[in-house]
Amino acid sequence: MTELYSASGSKVHSHKADIFCRDETRVDWHSKALWLLREKRDRAAASIPEWEQLRQLGSELKLHTLTHLTDYLQQFEQQCLANGIVVHWAKDGQEHNQIVLNILATHQVKRLVKSKSMLTEECHMNPFLEQHGIEVVDTDLGERIIQLANMPPSHIVVPAIHMKKQEVGELFHQQLGTKAGESDPLYLTRAARAHLREKFLTADAAMTGVNMAIADQGAVVVCTNEGNADMGANLPKLQLHSMGIDKVVPNMDAAGVLLRTLARNATGQPITTYSSFYRGPQQGGEMHVIIVDNGRTEMMKDKILAESLKCIRCGGCLNTCPVYRRSGGYSYNYTIPGPIGIAVGAKEDSTHSIPWACTLCGSCTYVCPTKVPLDKIIAHHRRLKAENKTLPYGKSGYMPLVGRFMASDTMMNTSMSAARLALRVLPGSLLKPFSGAWGKYRELPVAPESSFATWYAKNRSR
Amino acid sequence: MKIALFIPCLVNQMMPDVAIATLNLLEKLGHQVIFPQGQTCCGQPMTNSGCFDEAKKTTLKLLNAFKGVECDAIVCPAASCLVAAKENFHEFDSSKEAEEVINKLYELTEFLHDIAPIDRFARPINKKISLQMSCHGIRMLNLATPTEEMGKQRFNKVEAVLGKIAGLDIVYPARIDECCGFGGTFAVDEGAVSAKMGKDKAQAHAATGAQYAVGFDPSCLLHLDGMIRRQKLPIETRHIAQIINDAL
């Protein structure tokens, strides 16, 4: 497993996927665990007759907000200020981390309890704060597990989905002193709860991500199942909330639409156990909201890519993706894996391979609660890679040849009849140069004697 | 009706039986069928890799084969190629003649369901078949309601067409419309994942106990066939055209 997320070795998607696929039992288990979430999602979605209307509304309200983003962000800031919230703006991850550090340093914070935030992962905030002597404790159970194991998340909603309970048991035994060989989920959860309770009670500040920011209220919405965001935000006097500029929605009605689809699409729950609205500091406390761009404005300049900002991070596209389920979260060379990870991360992918970790089957697009056209975005990324001359897998070499080959009757007909003949008469071992990755896993096609065109000329021409 | 056959390169070169069955069944249904010369690849392998410049020449060559051809419909027994042809014709040619070609393009199931439905089949087929609901046909051509979609009246044109054949027992694999993992160059670029997807799909079809895995997309069938034979599974692939032709 460490082979998958370590910094060394090739980061090309197919290479990492190949490593993941070597343990077929684990692939089957991983794929099944995530498919269970998809099935729960299907049942939850089917249970409300207006599901498709909600998706349409979700899509339209996010597009509307993105179209008027400056106005809504300014309104949000004004309302926050009126509520006594301090608002910060960060153009990138580095600026975000510095702002957070400054706030924490001012209050001599030694320990920060954090609830789930993909944005802080995107900004690589934890290592930055740790370098500056601040202990960051992830308090979402899944997040805490991977933090103890020193791993990045492999899924945006269930970050430790790649770990089996026995592996968690072993980890807890080493790190938290639970009984050796014990992997009962209830026992392990109780141990984590006791361990985290102590961290909550002694923390100097709390930080959360933001699911939605409500412009006309100056409020942020945080959804968790464990109540860890609330435990954090309500214990220490200092609370911080980091959000991307794409998180703002106009009002409570809009938030209501998204809240109805978010948890249903993520895990099949009608709603997360806790959906908390924070609109001001606690008595005698301080509340900070940090609004981060980090490439989002740039993304909005491209009409197709811009639609990926409609995403509400439910993870539904990961659960349905047949490739993600069989290649795992560490194969994408980006903090966010799966279809949405390709959509928002392809530009930064130095291997240029992640847009090809997809069959363009389109399932993600149909699952998405805000109708992000993921397959179209991924296809668009391929086109951008081709235009920038950064194609992977030797495509820039052979694609022009294929293009010319297909456009030439003589070339195609002569070589295809030669290929058919070869397939019919030659032993498999001699065909190796033609078969490559195809023949490694599958039998070569049984070749017909002639093409349809030849048959037609012989049998049907006047 | 007068029908022009659109036989994509893969079918022409590697699965002529599918093309012959398509031709025969359309003729049995009383249509006049022609096969315009000069057809080639729709450009999908290139455009799916982002290489639009490389796709242009072959796409336009295919389009030209149909321009000015007198017919009521252009019918293709391959959903994925048909979708790509439509999209790529649009991409590279905005002329009226191109629009006329595009408006006549139908995938075989679509044609037999929406345009010229089959009244009755002549012969029963006493077989159990497991339907391969390929992605592009389902999610881009609306041949059936995808499992992700909720609410609406559900439909399945493939089952509606084949369901009229007496004796035919139609079943589905688990995870009905999960991708088989072919994905064009994906099958080679991402060999391990593609093969695992194909293996899972082939096993799901075999687990139904059906004699044939039947589909409307030859490329998926080619992939499944290679996987079924490698895994030595007790099932074979057939194209819907072959089943329909046998029943007429």
Side-chain angles (χ1 to χ4, degrees):
Chain A
M1 191 56 70
T2 46
E3 222 181 331
L4 287 168
Y5 56 87
S6 71
S8 60
S10 167
K11 289 191 160 98
V12 172
H13 184 274
S14 62
H15 175 78
K16 296 266 186 185
D18 192 73
I19 297 173
F20 190 76
C21 280
R22 279 176 211 161
D23 186 348
E24 191 173 2
T25 317
R26 185 179 277 274
V27 175
D28 287 335
W29 167 80
H30 188 257
S31 180
K32 195 176 158 199
L34 289 153
W35 186 259
L36 272 176
L37 290 179
R38 161 73 205 274
E39 287 179 326
K40 285 183 182 175
R41 172 264 178 203
D42 286 354
R43 284 195 291 273
S47 74
I48 44 177
E50 65 274 30
W51 179 257
E52 294 299 331
Q53 275 168 284
L54 286 174
R55 286 180 70 225
Q56 187 60 30
L57 272 175
S59 171
E60 285 172 13
L61 76 89
K62 287 295 278 187
L63 268 187
H64 164 83
T65 316
L66 290 168
T67 314
H68 305 278
L69 194 54
T70 317
D71 299 337
Y72 282 120
L73 283 172
Q74 283 175 347
Q75 187 191 15
F76 174 67
E77 181 183 36
Q78 282 160 11
Q79 293 305 317
C80 280
L81 295 175
N83 292 341
I85 301 167
V86 188
V87 179
H88 309 261
W89 299 84
K91 72 169 190 293
D92 55 25
Q94 208 182 346
E95 223 172 82
H96 165 266
N97 295 347
Q98 194 58 53
I99 290 167
V100 173
L101 179 64
N102 291 348
I103 300 167
L104 298 182
T106 311
H107 292 81
Q108 286 106 40
V109 171
K110 292 271 176 291
R111 175 178 287 165
L112 174 73
V113 280
K114 202 183 103 195
S115 78
K116 213 162 161 332
S117 152
M118 284 313 293
L119 177 66
T120 57
E121 292 290 337
E122 180 187 318
C123 297
H124 306 293
M125 185 192 77
N126 288 15
F128 174 83
L129 292 182
E130 280 155 9
Q131 272 167 27
H132 288 83
I134 293 165
E135 185 196 358
V136 184
V137 181
D138 275 312
T139 58
D140 169 277
L141 179 55
E143 293 275 340
R144 187 62 183 150
I145 291 169
I146 56 167
Q147 192 181 31
L148 290 173
N150 201 20
M151 291 173 179
S154 77
H155 187 291
I156 62 176
V157 172
V158 280
I161 188 74
H162 59 287
M163 286 182 77
K164 300 191 175 184
K165 60 182 181 186
Q166 291 80 1
E167 292 165 338
V168 176
E170 176 58 27
L171 177 75
F172 277 18
H173 170 61
Q174 286 170 14
Q175 302 264 348
L176 306 182
T178 52
K179 279 181 272 176
E182 186 60 81
S183 63
D184 174 55
L186 187 64
Y187 169 75
L188 294 177
T189 310
R190 282 193 174 142
R193 185 187 165 94
H195 159 74
L196 284 169
R197 189 57 56 97
E198 186 263 327
K199 299 285 182 190
F200 278 122
L201 290 170
T202 52
D204 310 303
M207 178 172 221
T208 79
V210 170
N211 290 90
M212 287 148 228
I214 303 170
D216 73 352
Q217 300 286 318
V220 295
V221 186
V222 185
C223 304
T224 71
N225 275 328
E226 297 159 33
N228 52 319
D230 307 281
M231 184 74 93
N234 287 298
L235 280 171
K237 290 285 183 194
L238 178 61
Q239 70 192 85
L240 292 77
H241 306 271
S242 288
M243 57 175 267
I245 55 170
D246 51 321
K247 290 294 173 204
V248 70
V249 294
N251 49 38
M252 296 290 272
D253 288 349
V257 170
L258 300 179
L259 279 173
R260 293 197 67 202
T261 53
L262 177 64
R264 284 190 170 90
N265 220 55
T267 55
Q269 297 167 272
I271 196 160
T272 41
T273 316
Y274 300 87
S275 302
S276 305
F277 294 62
Y278 293 99
R279 46 172 292 174
Q282 41 176 303
Q283 226 169 16
E286 263 181 45
M287 175 170 166
H288 295 257
V289 171
I290 305 125
I291 305 170
V292 189
D293 185 321
N294 205 30
R296 287 165 177 75
T297 305
E298 188 61 30
M299 203 176 277
M300 295 233 289
K301 290 180 187 163
D302 183 315
K303 264 196 171 171
I304 301 175
L305 299 187
E307 290 214 48
S308 55
L309 295 173
K310 293 193 295 183
C311 172
I312 57 171
R313 300 290 189 270
C314 69
C317 62
L318 280 68
N319 303 340
T320 199
C321 179
V323 178
Y324 169 81
R325 278 188 276 112
R326 292 171 181 83
S327 66
Y330 296 140
S331 58
Y332 289 80
N333 193 28
Y334 190 66
T335 318
I336 301 174
I340 187 62
I342 302 174
V344 300
K347 276 205 160 170
E348 287 166 50
D349 170 28
S350 57
T351 70
H352 306 295
S353 63
I354 61 171
W356 278 269
C358 168
T359 62
L360 301 178
C361 78
S363 181
C364 48
T365 299
Y366 276 89
V367 157
C368 180
T370 53
K371 295 194 172 183
V372 177
L374 287 154
D375 57 335
K376 285 194 176 56
I377 293 172
I378 293 169
H380 184 58
H381 272 301
R382 295 181 181 184
R383 192 170 189 169
L384 294 176
K385 295 281 182 196
E387 283 169 8
N388 294 330
K389 306 206 181 313
T390 49
L391 287 168
Y393 304 127
K395 284 175 190 292
S396 55
Y398 75 80
M399 274 301 164
L401 301 177
V402 179
R404 255 180 284 157
F405 176 82
M406 297 292 199
S408 154
D409 289 334
T410 359
M411 264 175 17
M412 171 126 90
N413 288 330
T414 356
S415 42
M416 283 311 290
S417 55
R420 278 194 304 270
L421 184 68
L423 282 170
R424 292 172 69 81
V425 302
L426 296 180
S429 58
L430 275 181
L431 292 167
K432 197 100 180 149
F434 292 106
S435 68
W438 181 278
K440 183 175 172 192
Y441 303 104
R442 319 151 180 96
E443 293 303 309
L444 291 169
V446 178
E449 260 177 70
S450 74
S451 71
F452 173 69
T454 309
W455 178 92
Y456 190 85
K458 214 183 281 176
N459 293 279
R460 293 298 167 97
S461 282
R462 301 125 272 197
Chain B
M1 287 175 85
K2 187 170 180 185
I3 296 165
L5 279 184
F6 163 22
I7 303 300
C9 57
L10 177 81
V11 178
N12 180 39
Q13 301 286 352
M14 296 307 293
M15 304 169 89
D17 289 352
V18 171
I20 296 168
T22 307
L23 169 68
N24 285 340
L25 83 88
L26 290 172
E27 285 181 343
K28 283 181 191 171
L29 291 168
H31 302 293
Q32 185 197 344
V33 187
I34 56 167
F35 178 50
Q37 298 301 294
Q39 298 185 34
T40 179
C41 171
C42 60
Q44 179 163 223
M46 288 72 92
T47 50
N48 269 5
S49 278
C51 303
F52 281 71
D53 290 346
E54 287 76 4
K56 191 172 179 179
K57 206 172 157 196
T58 179
T59 302
L60 291 177
K61 188 163 186 240
L62 177 64
L63 175 57
N64 280 332
F66 293 109
K67 273 192 186 173
V69 168
E70 218 180 286
C71 63
D72 304 307
I74 302 168
V75 175
C76 172
S80 186
C81 306
L82 182 93
V83 172
K86 269 190 189 176
E87 285 177 359
N88 294 346
F89 290 169
H90 262 300
E91 172 81 28
F92 296 118
D93 191 341
S94 53
S95 69
K96 220 174 136 245
E97 296 95 310
E99 195 60 40
E100 275 169 19
V101 171
I102 293 166
N103 290 338
K104 283 184 195 170
L105 286 172
Y106 295 98
E107 183 275 334
L108 180 64
T109 321
E110 200 179 24
F111 180 78
L112 296 178
H113 184 273
D114 300 356
I115 307 300
I118 303 168
D119 292 334
R120 51 186 302 271
F121 288 90
R123 275 178 289 193
I125 294 187
N126 294 310
K127 293 256 194 280
K128 186 173 177 180
I129 64 165
S130 176
L131 281 190
Q132 164 61 28
M133 303 302 273
S134 295
C135 305
H136 289 184
I138 306 292
R139 301 195 184 88
M140 291 173 190
L141 273 180
N142 298 312
L143 292 183
T145 314
T147 52
E148 299 89 9
E149 201 171 312
M150 300 297 154
K152 257 187 9 188
Q153 190 106 43
R154 307 193 75 77
F155 62 90
N156 180 340
K157 296 181 185 179
V158 196
E159 189 179 309
V161 172
L162 295 176
K164 288 186 188 165
I165 299 173
L168 203 61
D169 180 10
I170 300 174
V171 296
Y172 293 91
R175 301 181 189 174
I176 296 176
D177 53 8
E178 186 184 25
C179 180
C180 77
F182 174 64
T185 56
F186 179 85
V188 178
D189 296 336
E190 289 272 0
V193 178
S194 168
K196 179 61 182 149
M197 288 165 71
K199 186 178 175 185
D200 290 352
K201 195 62 163 185
Q203 285 176 342
H205 278 301
T208 63
Q211 280 119 310
Y212 300 140
V214 174
F216 46 79
D217 223 327
S219 45
C220 310
L221 295 176
L222 189 87
H223 185 221
L224 283 175
D225 173 62
M227 198 48 83
I228 286 167
R229 286 187 291 120
R230 175 62 59 96
Q231 299 294 323
K232 301 189 169 40
L233 296 170
I235 191 167
E236 289 174 26
T237 57
R238 287 290 184 278
H239 190 276
I240 52 160
Q242 295 168 305
I243 302 291
I244 294 170
N245 187 42
D246 285 350
L248 283 169

